[in-house]
Amino acid sequence: MNIIELNKLFVQNFLHTCNEEQSMFFSKLASFIYSKTDNCFLLTGYAGTGKTTLINSVVETYKQLGGTIILLAPTGRASKVLAQRTGKYASTIHRHIYMIKSSGNSTEFVVKPNKHKHALFVVDEASMIADSTTDGISLHGQSLLEDLLEHIAAGHKCKVLFIGDRAQLPPVGLDLSPALNVQTLQNLFGLTVVQQNLTQVIRQAQESVVLKNATALRQLIAEDENKTPKIEVAKDVIRLTDPFEMEEVFQKCFHDNSTENGIMIVRSNKRANQYNLDIRARIQFKDDILNSGDQLMVVKNNYHWLPKDAKAGFIANGDTIEVLSLRNREQLYNHTFTDATIQLLDYPEQPPIDVKIMLDVLQADAPSISQKAQRDLFESILEDYGEQGTIKRVKEDPYYNALQVKFAHVVTCHKAQGGQWPHVIIEQCWLPEGKVDREYLRWLYTAFTRAEENVYLIGFDDSYFED
């Protein structure tokens, strides 16, 4: 098969009629795959421009040709969405590229060897990937982006296709998403980059007022217009001002333990904590800090509880879990712990596992316990071991490795990124001096684009709506 034939097969497997930008993508991708020099393709596009449908065609084409295509995403939720949309297994980046290596008394994560030949690595939601180690995501001492590219380069003539939306929030603490920045990929990582940007909203998405509002927000971002957006309300974008209407929506989204019906997005961990506790008390009628059946979000990587041969690898920050049973609550080392049996919801093939959970984090306003609290816990456990205390022993201690989790009904926008839900409630956040800026517009755009069906707006004043 040559470039022209491959391009035709991409188009043939596309479920709709290609517009000009989509045709250009298939043409460039076919040339990219046969190129001896190009090793990175950057597909960027806004919400509703058909990125997912394009990738479905690429996956189907590789399936027909017997080629190797590997689907990756930054979080468990994002990889689950990618797998559902393509019908092919998708993994988190972490679980695919890292492995545990034991040496003497120490255990560390290292980048796996890449044994693939001529494989295409497709990395969705690439706007979330950082190129620094300050986010705590890398397990190897380098940035996650650097480790990923090192793994891909170790294979035989493997290539990467990054997919993302530049209008979404970049990684925490960054102004740009490095995996979607051509200069970063070329100058810092030495890649030869081909790119295609999608701007045309496909016909199937044009009827959605959710996407219409997202497109208007994206235009403000692109034009660097820091002015209050005008939100159009409709049957799928609802402004909630009546308390009884709010109660009805909260009941619809959160009446049971499931985190699949809907999600609420707020600006701070403190606000998320307040809402989650209210939902448990007033919607779900729960008065205990934690109950069987609760679904939670892990807020810190944990490498202790899963067996080394587990397909999931480890329990990652952002994973969702369901509590199957609880027992043995105890107060120790200035923290409250409980034993639990849990199920990893993003990896249903993984059997239930027994863990210890630190209950304090559930009601804390911070995203997880502080570094000082972690050090104090370490010192307390070390002292408890007495003369038998060693660093290795503490690092293997179940209390030191207790899961840190939060309720997952209400989250910050960064935590929601990469996932989608039928119903999304967005609370207007406090703005310094009431001024709209680029960061806020990207926050609101990212929040809007989490919704598959409906967006509900709470706390937005009249200035956000047409008269």
Side-chain angles (χ1 to χ4, degrees):
M1 177 169 286
N2 57 33
I3 293 174
I4 295 175
E5 291 170 334
L6 179 59
N7 182 33
K8 286 182 178 179
L9 190 55
F10 282 144
V11 174
Q12 179 182 317
N13 287 324
F14 191 60
L15 297 179
H16 308 283
T17 302
C18 291
N19 60 35
E20 184 178 349
E21 292 174 342
Q22 293 165 340
S23 295
M24 185 63 70
F25 166 70
F26 285 137
S27 176
K28 287 183 178 180
L29 184 65
S31 298
F32 167 79
I33 289 169
Y34 278 91
S35 171
K36 295 181 180 180
T37 56
D38 300 332
N39 48 21
C40 177
F41 198 111
L42 194 56
L43 174 63
T44 54
Y46 305 118
T49 54
K51 297 190 299 296
T52 298
T53 315
L54 290 172
I55 298 312
N56 284 341
S57 171
V58 176
V59 170
E60 179 60 28
T61 300
Y62 264 75
K63 179 181 176 181
Q64 291 177 11
L65 298 177
T68 301
I69 188 167
I70 296 157
L71 304 183
L72 303 176
T75 66
R77 182 86 195 191
S79 64
K80 185 177 180 179
V81 170
L82 181 59
Q84 289 172 341
R85 289 177 171 175
T86 60
K88 178 179 171 60
Y89 173 77
S91 170
T92 62
I93 298 171
H94 302 79
R95 291 190 172 96
H96 186 82
I97 72 171
Y98 293 118
M99 67 178 185
I100 298 174
K101 182 180 180 181
S102 298
S103 177
N105 292 328
S106 65
T107 299
E108 63 178 340
F109 278 83
V110 298
V111 178
K112 288 180 184 176
N114 178 8
K115 299 179 181 179
H116 293 291
K117 297 180 179 180
H118 302 282
L120 179 64
F121 286 74
V122 177
V123 185
D124 199 13
E125 297 291 350
S127 65
M128 302 170 64
I129 306 172
D131 67 342
S132 68
T133 58
T134 56
D135 58 5
I137 292 179
S138 173
L139 306 181
H140 184 232
Q142 303 181 131
S143 72
L144 180 61
L145 181 57
E146 189 171 359
D147 285 346
L148 171 61
L149 294 175
E150 177 185 311
H151 173 78
I152 294 171
H156 180 71
K157 296 183 179 180
C158 294
K159 300 180 182 239
V160 61
L161 167 60
F162 285 120
I163 307 163
D165 184 343
R166 289 194 179 105
Q168 284 193 30
L169 286 171
V172 177
L174 297 180
D175 295 325
L176 295 171
S177 299
L180 298 181
N181 185 273
V182 176
Q183 286 72 34
T184 298
L185 296 172
Q186 289 178 336
N187 300 336
L188 191 59
F189 297 104
L191 299 176
T192 305
V193 182
V194 179
Q195 60 177 322
Q196 176 65 40
N197 187 40
L198 306 176
T199 60
Q200 185 176 341
V201 176
I202 60 176
R203 181 179 55 81
Q204 295 86 341
Q206 290 175 354
E207 296 180 359
S208 167
V209 179
V210 171
L211 285 175
K212 187 176 180 180
N213 280 295
T215 301
L217 287 165
R218 179 256 295 172
Q219 290 171 343
L220 289 177
I221 295 167
E223 296 165 4
D224 211 15
E225 293 254 5
N226 294 336
K227 63 182 182 181
T228 302
K230 295 298 182 181
I231 299 173
E232 180 179 338
V233 296
K235 64 179 181 179
D236 56 344
V237 179
I238 301 102
R239 182 188 182 191
L240 296 177
T241 56
D242 182 273
F244 294 103
E245 289 180 340
M246 293 183 194
E247 178 81 12
E248 184 178 335
V249 170
F250 274 72
Q251 287 283 358
K252 177 167 60 176
C253 293
F254 310 127
H255 68 279
D256 60 14
N257 296 314
S258 173
T259 56
E260 298 299 313
N261 300 327
I263 199 166
M264 183 173 184
I265 297 174
V266 295
R267 194 69 184 266
S268 69
N269 285 292
K270 181 177 181 178
R271 199 74 176 138
N273 188 51
Q274 291 170 341
Y275 269 111
N276 275 314
L277 295 179
D278 282 347
I279 287 169
R280 287 178 58 74
R282 298 172 56 185
I283 303 297
Q284 300 175 346
F285 303 105
K286 296 178 179 178
D287 53 10
D288 202 354
I289 187 173
L290 188 63
N291 295 87
S292 297
D294 279 333
Q295 292 188 8
L296 309 169
M297 179 178 289
V298 178
V299 294
K300 187 175 181 181
N301 290 337
N302 187 290
Y303 322 113
H304 178 76
W305 298 104
L306 281 175
K308 291 183 179 180
D309 60 349
K311 188 173 183 179
F314 63 98
I315 304 172
N317 182 3
D319 282 353
T320 51
I321 66 171
E322 180 179 354
V323 178
L324 302 181
S325 64
L326 293 163
R327 54 201 174 275
N328 304 331
R329 186 177 300 183
E330 56 186 329
Q331 188 83 25
L332 199 62
Y333 306 124
N334 295 319
H335 295 282
T336 305
F337 300 92
T338 186
D339 292 324
T341 301
I342 65 166
Q343 176 71 58
L344 291 177
L345 295 180
D346 296 327
Y347 295 87
E349 74 282 355
Q350 174 66 45
I353 56 171
D354 293 330
V355 301
K356 199 174 288 291
I357 292 175
M358 182 183 287
L359 295 176
D360 311 55
V361 183
L362 282 168
Q363 295 181 317
D365 290 336
S368 59
I369 67 170
S370 67
Q371 290 185 344
K372 181 183 182 303
Q374 193 73 40
R375 286 195 301 270
D376 290 344
L377 177 62
F378 182 95
E379 296 295 336
S380 298
I381 295 173
L382 182 63
E383 182 180 349
D384 209 23
Y385 276 110
E387 294 181 356
Q388 297 179 333
T390 62
I391 293 176
K392 181 177 184 292
R393 201 157 193 174
V394 175
K395 287 190 173 182
E396 293 176 349
D397 187 270
Y399 293 94
Y400 185 73
N401 289 287
L403 276 187
Q404 297 186 37
V405 291
K406 289 280 192 183
F407 295 113
H409 296 302
V410 186
V411 299
T412 63
C413 202
H414 274 106
K415 288 292 186 186
Q417 205 166 351
Q420 288 202 308
W421 292 262
H423 309 290
V424 173
I425 305 169
I426 305 172
E427 183 191 48
Q428 170 66 318
C429 57
W430 176 81
L431 296 173
E433 302 177 2
K435 292 182 179 179
V436 169
D437 58 15
R438 182 180 175 85
E439 180 187 0
Y440 169 73
L441 291 174
R442 293 177 79 171
W443 180 89
L444 188 56
Y445 172 85
T446 305
F448 255 88
T449 52
R450 300 309 93 209
E452 294 173 323
E453 298 176 15
N454 299 314
V455 165
Y456 300 92
L457 303 168
I458 294 178
F460 287 76
D461 62 47
D462 292 341
S463 65
Y464 283 81
F465 305 93
E466 299 288 354
D467 294 337

